[in-house]
Amino acid sequence: MSAPDFAADAVAILPDLVALRRALHADPELGLDLPRTQQKVLDALEGLPLEITTGTRTTSVVAVLRGGRPGPAVLLRGDMDALPIEETTGLEFASTNGTMHACGHDLHTAGLVGAARLLSERRDELHGSVIFMFQPGEEGHGGAKVMIEEGLLDAAGERPVAAYAIHVAPGPRGLFATRSGAVAAGSNQLFVTVDGRGGHGSQPHQTLDPVPAAAEIVLALQSFVTRRFDAFDPVVLSVTRLSTGEGAVNVIPEQVELAATVRNMSPASLATLQEGLPRVIEGVAAAHGLTADVRFDTMYPVTVNDPAETAETVDVLQGVFGEQRVVIMPTPMMGSEDFAFVLDEVPGTFIALMTSSPDADPSTIEWNHSPRVLFDDAVLGDQAAALASVAFARTAR
């Protein structure tokens, strides 16, 4: 029996998905507690033949669809949380509450609802089960990890054999992109406090000034990254905070605080960072007669696509949408994804879907996390069809 034409089926539900996406976009929520978003999802899933559970530590939604034929379980993910950004898109359905779906999670949620509808309509033809993972707290809160700890991977009574997620991004509308191996970076955070002895700005020789030491630390960190890591196993370190507090201009401060985001692509590079960063920072501080407190927090692991699952995913997407609409990414993204926690447990594939309007000027397109970023929700039908197609094909294997 041939696979269902989910792309054709999705045409009929596209208006509903667009309406859901815009309702989500107009009313975004942050972190792990998304009660209004959760209710919108539950309302959208009402009437479908799903086994639904909600989280206790988060406002997650897990829905299981059991097919009419024997087969394995697979998992599909859509994240639901927004960012603390004041939206300036000018859209009719723009958020006005000081938060914004600036990373497209409103599309991810609506697209996953669409996949649930498409697969539910073909339940009798479906092999095995599909777990629909509606996840809060992707933006720095580790929501996927929390859901795993609450039993996500056992929701169907057996662990899924594969997991898939689609993430939208600016670019030629309707183009899918993925790759085998590392697809998104691991994410870490570095916090440093340099302690000295303050005093009058006119008498630096009577102080232990932490400011020049902190400036040297910033430069030393950049040299460390460029000299200790293979260019083909990249690390990105960006110091994003540097503060001496709010003291008077003529006062040398007691301490300086700095923070940085650190991205890596392998366990080996992470181990070098964990060992090397404190040594460099403490060494520079000691050279000035100062001390430094260093904290290195590992946030998200590297997102790694399984080669076999990715090859099969590419074949399925090319079969549905044509070879010209599916490309292989030449390099990983240095952004991070907590779908990595799922892919650490289950082989699978993380896929990008480009969503810029054909009328958009490529030279002025805003990227994810911008207060002006625009995602064309005309892709929602194809997004839902892609998730449904990949899941259906994997369970039938």
Side-chain angles (χ1 to χ4, degrees), residues 156-178:
E158 57 180 322
R159 289 176 73 87
V161 296
Y164 308 97
I166 289 178
H167 199 300
V168 296
R173 188 178 70 187
L175 186 70
F176 294 90
T178 191

mmCIF file of all heavy atoms in Angstrom, residues 156-178:
data_model
loop_
_atom_site.group_PDB
_atom_site.id
_atom_site.type_symbol
_atom_site.label_atom_id
_atom_site.label_comp_id
_atom_site.label_asym_id
_atom_site.label_seq_id
_atom_site.Cartn_x
_atom_site.Cartn_y
_atom_site.Cartn_z
ATOM 1 N N ALA A 156 4.085 5.743 25.336
ATOM 2 C CA ALA A 156 3.374 4.782 24.491
ATOM 3 C C ALA A 156 3.472 3.351 25.016
ATOM 4 O O ALA A 156 2.959 2.427 24.384
ATOM 5 C CB ALA A 156 3.917 4.850 23.064
ATOM 6 N N GLY A 157 4.128 3.184 26.160
ATOM 7 C CA GLY A 157 4.311 1.846 26.708
ATOM 8 C C GLY A 157 5.572 1.175 26.227
ATOM 9 O O GLY A 157 5.925 0.094 26.712
ATOM 10 N N GLU A 158 6.242 1.790 25.286
ATOM 11 C CA GLU A 158 7.538 1.324 24.794
ATOM 12 C C GLU A 158 8.307 2.555 24.330
ATOM 13 O O GLU A 158 7.725 3.544 23.902
ATOM 14 C CB GLU A 158 7.358 0.348 23.625
ATOM 15 C CG GLU A 158 6.563 0.927 22.460
ATOM 16 C CD GLU A 158 6.400 -0.060 21.317
ATOM 17 O OE1 GLU A 158 7.356 -0.800 21.045
ATOM 18 O OE2 GLU A 158 5.311 -0.079 20.714
ATOM 19 N N ARG A 159 9.604 2.485 24.418
ATOM 20 C CA ARG A 159 10.403 3.638 24.026
ATOM 21 C C ARG A 159 10.342 3.825 22.513
ATOM 22 O O ARG A 159 10.326 2.848 21.751
ATOM 23 C CB ARG A 159 11.854 3.465 24.471
ATOM 24 C CG ARG A 159 12.018 3.591 25.973
ATOM 25 C CD ARG A 159 13.455 3.316 26.395
ATOM 26 N NE ARG A 159 14.347 4.402 26.028
ATOM 27 C CZ ARG A 159 14.580 5.474 26.781
ATOM 28 N NH1 ARG A 159 13.955 5.619 27.936
ATOM 29 N NH2 ARG A 159 15.420 6.404 26.397
ATOM 30 N N PRO A 160 10.294 5.067 22.069
ATOM 31 C CA PRO A 160 10.269 5.299 20.623
ATOM 32 C C PRO A 160 11.573 4.853 19.967
ATOM 33 O O PRO A 160 12.647 4.924 20.573
ATOM 34 C CB PRO A 160 10.093 6.815 20.511
ATOM 35 C CG PRO A 160 10.561 7.361 21.818
ATOM 36 C CD PRO A 160 10.250 6.315 22.840
ATOM 37 N N VAL A 161 11.449 4.388 18.729
ATOM 38 C CA VAL A 161 12.638 3.967 17.981
ATOM 39 C C VAL A 161 13.277 5.138 17.256
ATOM 40 O O VAL A 161 14.412 5.039 16.784
ATOM 41 C CB VAL A 161 12.290 2.857 16.978
ATOM 42 C CG1 VAL A 161 11.818 1.607 17.706
ATOM 43 C CG2 VAL A 161 11.256 3.331 15.954
ATOM 44 N N ALA A 162 12.557 6.254 17.146
ATOM 45 C CA ALA A 162 13.086 7.425 16.453
ATOM 46 C C ALA A 162 12.329 8.663 16.923
ATOM 47 O O ALA A 162 11.191 8.569 17.403
ATOM 48 C CB ALA A 162 12.967 7.275 14.936
ATOM 49 N N ALA A 163 12.973 9.828 16.778
ATOM 50 C CA ALA A 163 12.367 11.097 17.177
ATOM 51 C C ALA A 163 12.709 12.162 16.142
ATOM 52 O O ALA A 163 13.817 12.181 15.593
ATOM 53 C CB ALA A 163 12.876 11.521 18.558
ATOM 54 N N TYR A 164 11.747 13.061 15.908
ATOM 55 C CA TYR A 164 11.925 14.072 14.854
ATOM 56 C C TYR A 164 11.377 15.413 15.344
ATOM 57 O O TYR A 164 10.402 15.475 16.091
ATOM 58 C CB TYR A 164 11.183 13.666 13.575
ATOM 59 C CG TYR A 164 11.505 12.275 13.101
ATOM 60 C CD1 TYR A 164 10.670 11.195 13.423
ATOM 61 C CD2 TYR A 164 12.653 12.020 12.359
ATOM 62 C CE1 TYR A 164 10.969 9.915 13.005
ATOM 63 C CE2 TYR A 164 12.959 10.733 11.945
ATOM 64 C CZ TYR A 164 12.123 9.684 12.264
ATOM 65 O OH TYR A 164 12.427 8.415 11.856
ATOM 66 N N ALA A 165 12.002 16.489 14.881
ATOM 67 C CA ALA A 165 11.518 17.839 15.170
ATOM 68 C C ALA A 165 11.846 18.731 13.986
ATOM 69 O O ALA A 165 12.873 18.541 13.312
ATOM 70 C CB ALA A 165 12.158 18.385 16.436
ATOM 71 N N ILE A 166 10.987 19.703 13.745
ATOM 72 C CA ILE A 166 11.216 20.721 12.715
ATOM 73 C C ILE A 166 11.317 22.075 13.407
ATOM 74 O O ILE A 166 10.514 22.398 14.275
ATOM 75 C CB ILE A 166 10.086 20.736 11.673
ATOM 76 C CG1 ILE A 166 10.167 19.480 10.794
ATOM 77 C CG2 ILE A 166 10.161 21.993 10.815
ATOM 78 C CD1 ILE A 166 9.056 19.383 9.765
ATOM 79 N N HIS A 167 12.332 22.852 13.004
ATOM 80 C CA HIS A 167 12.524 24.208 13.527
ATOM 81 C C HIS A 167 12.513 25.188 12.367
ATOM 82 O O HIS A 167 13.235 25.016 11.392
ATOM 83 C CB HIS A 167 13.850 24.313 14.273
ATOM 84 C CG HIS A 167 13.922 25.490 15.208
ATOM 85 N ND1 HIS A 167 13.789 26.796 14.782
ATOM 86 C CD2 HIS A 167 14.093 25.540 16.552
ATOM 87 C CE1 HIS A 167 13.888 27.605 15.821
ATOM 88 N NE2 HIS A 167 14.068 26.866 16.910
ATOM 89 N N VAL A 168 11.687 26.224 12.470
ATOM 90 C CA VAL A 168 11.604 27.200 11.386
ATOM 91 C C VAL A 168 12.737 28.211 11.485
ATOM 92 O O VAL A 168 13.308 28.443 12.556
ATOM 93 C CB VAL A 168 10.247 27.934 11.399
ATOM 94 C CG1 VAL A 168 9.112 26.951 11.141
ATOM 95 C CG2 VAL A 168 10.031 28.684 12.710
ATOM 96 N N ALA A 169 13.051 28.812 10.332
ATOM 97 C CA ALA A 169 14.121 29.804 10.257
ATOM 98 C C ALA A 169 13.900 30.664 9.021
ATOM 99 O O ALA A 169 13.213 30.254 8.080
ATOM 100 C CB ALA A 169 15.485 29.112 10.183
ATOM 101 N N PRO A 170 14.477 31.859 8.986
ATOM 102 C CA PRO A 170 14.402 32.670 7.775
ATOM 103 C C PRO A 170 15.128 31.997 6.618
ATOM 104 O O PRO A 170 16.100 31.269 6.809
ATOM 105 C CB PRO A 170 15.107 33.969 8.175
ATOM 106 C CG PRO A 170 15.038 33.992 9.663
ATOM 107 C CD PRO A 170 15.128 32.567 10.083
ATOM 108 N N GLY A 171 14.646 32.223 5.418
ATOM 109 C CA GLY A 171 15.236 31.638 4.224
ATOM 110 C C GLY A 171 14.165 31.341 3.198
ATOM 111 O O GLY A 171 12.974 31.612 3.431
ATOM 112 N N PRO A 172 14.552 30.787 2.061
ATOM 113 C CA PRO A 172 13.594 30.532 0.971
ATOM 114 C C PRO A 172 12.423 29.677 1.440
ATOM 115 O O PRO A 172 12.611 28.535 1.851
ATOM 116 C CB PRO A 172 14.438 29.803 -0.079
ATOM 117 C CG PRO A 172 15.846 30.203 0.218
ATOM 118 C CD PRO A 172 15.925 30.371 1.697
ATOM 119 N N ARG A 173 11.221 30.216 1.358
ATOM 120 C CA ARG A 173 10.046 29.553 1.942
ATOM 121 C C ARG A 173 9.851 28.145 1.395
ATOM 122 O O ARG A 173 9.887 27.916 0.196
ATOM 123 C CB ARG A 173 8.795 30.380 1.657
ATOM 124 C CG ARG A 173 7.561 29.879 2.397
ATOM 125 C CD ARG A 173 6.357 30.754 2.140
ATOM 126 N NE ARG A 173 5.863 30.621 0.759
ATOM 127 C CZ ARG A 173 4.902 31.387 0.249
ATOM 128 N NH1 ARG A 173 4.369 32.351 0.981
ATOM 129 N NH2 ARG A 173 4.497 31.202 -0.988
ATOM 130 N N GLY A 174 9.671 27.202 2.339
ATOM 131 C CA GLY A 174 9.374 25.827 1.967
ATOM 132 C C GLY A 174 10.586 24.947 1.779
ATOM 133 O O GLY A 174 10.439 23.761 1.467
ATOM 134 N N LEU A 175 11.797 25.470 1.994
ATOM 135 C CA LEU A 175 13.015 24.677 1.837
ATOM 136 C C LEU A 175 13.329 23.974 3.145
ATOM 137 O O LEU A 175 13.397 24.601 4.204
ATOM 138 C CB LEU A 175 14.173 25.580 1.428
ATOM 139 C CG LEU A 175 15.494 24.875 1.093
ATOM 140 C CD1 LEU A 175 15.363 24.100 -0.221
ATOM 141 C CD2 LEU A 175 16.636 25.891 1.012
ATOM 142 N N PHE A 176 13.533 22.646 3.073
ATOM 143 C CA PHE A 176 13.937 21.857 4.234
ATOM 144 C C PHE A 176 15.453 21.671 4.205
ATOM 145 O O PHE A 176 16.041 21.496 3.135
ATOM 146 C CB PHE A 176 13.264 20.487 4.223
ATOM 147 C CG PHE A 176 11.773 20.521 4.382
ATOM 148 C CD1 PHE A 176 10.942 20.605 3.267
ATOM 149 C CD2 PHE A 176 11.189 20.477 5.640
ATOM 150 C CE1 PHE A 176 9.563 20.637 3.398
ATOM 151 C CE2 PHE A 176 9.806 20.504 5.779
ATOM 152 C CZ PHE A 176 8.993 20.583 4.662
ATOM 153 N N ALA A 177 16.074 21.663 5.396
ATOM 154 C CA ALA A 177 17.519 21.475 5.478
ATOM 155 C C ALA A 177 17.858 20.654 6.708
ATOM 156 O O ALA A 177 17.289 20.861 7.784
ATOM 157 C CB ALA A 177 18.234 22.819 5.536
ATOM 158 N N THR A 178 18.786 19.723 6.546
ATOM 159 C CA THR A 178 19.249 18.925 7.676
ATOM 160 C C THR A 178 20.610 18.342 7.319
ATOM 161 O O THR A 178 21.137 18.571 6.231
ATOM 162 C CB THR A 178 18.238 17.830 8.034
ATOM 163 O OG1 THR A 178 18.604 17.231 9.287
ATOM 164 C CG2 THR A 178 18.149 16.751 6.963
#
